[in-house]
Amino acid sequence: MDRLDNNAHSVFSLYYHLVMVTKYRRKVFDSKISDRAKNIFEYICPKYNITLLEWNHDMDHVHILFKSHPNSEISKFINAYKSASSRLIKKEF
């Protein structure tokens, strides 16, 4: 993780640890739902210039480690991911 990324005029290393918890800490995550949520995350990542590094889940939360560029809008990415994953997972499961 010591590798630095660069642009034309800057050098950076931005790593984020995101923990997403289910409502009321309900135990809903199993391997199938976690894998589907990870696939949705990997599908949305390139649009926001984000790279997924690690994905771990427990029964009531998910740990995500990812890196991004300084021009990435993290709040818009997380909102897009939460709405897309919620809609698709509710529809499929």
Side-chain angles (χ1 to χ4, degrees):
M1 276 202 235
D2 295 311
R3 187 182 170 294
L4 298 175
D5 296 321
N6 58 357
N7 281 355
H9 302 285
S10 63
V11 177
F12 54 90
S13 178
L14 296 174
Y15 290 89
Y16 295 93
H17 178 217
L18 176 65
V19 179
M20 298 181 71
V21 181
T22 59
K23 191 173 184 178
Y24 305 119
R25 302 285 292 213
R26 292 199 171 126
K27 300 183 183 333
V28 296
F29 279 107
D30 60 359
S31 297
K32 290 173 65 175
I33 293 176
S34 176
D35 289 340
R36 181 61 179 134
K38 182 179 178 182
N39 291 339
I40 297 167
F41 192 91
E42 290 172 337
Y43 178 76
I44 296 175
C45 279
K47 297 174 185 165
Y48 291 90
N49 209 4
I50 290 175
T51 306
L52 176 65
L53 299 175
E54 286 187 30
W55 181 280
N56 295 316
H57 77 279
D58 200 6
M59 295 298 291
D60 58 354
H61 64 279
V62 175
H63 288 269
I64 306 167
L65 179 66
F66 62 93
K67 69 178 185 174
S68 72
H69 288 266
N71 58 358
S72 300
E73 295 180 280
I74 301 299
S75 61
K76 287 186 179 181
F77 166 72
I78 292 174
N79 286 338
Y81 172 69
K82 285 175 64 176
S83 63
S85 64
S86 174
R87 181 174 25 85
L88 291 172
I89 289 174
K90 283 178 185 176
K91 187 170 77 173
E92 295 172 12
F93 296 96

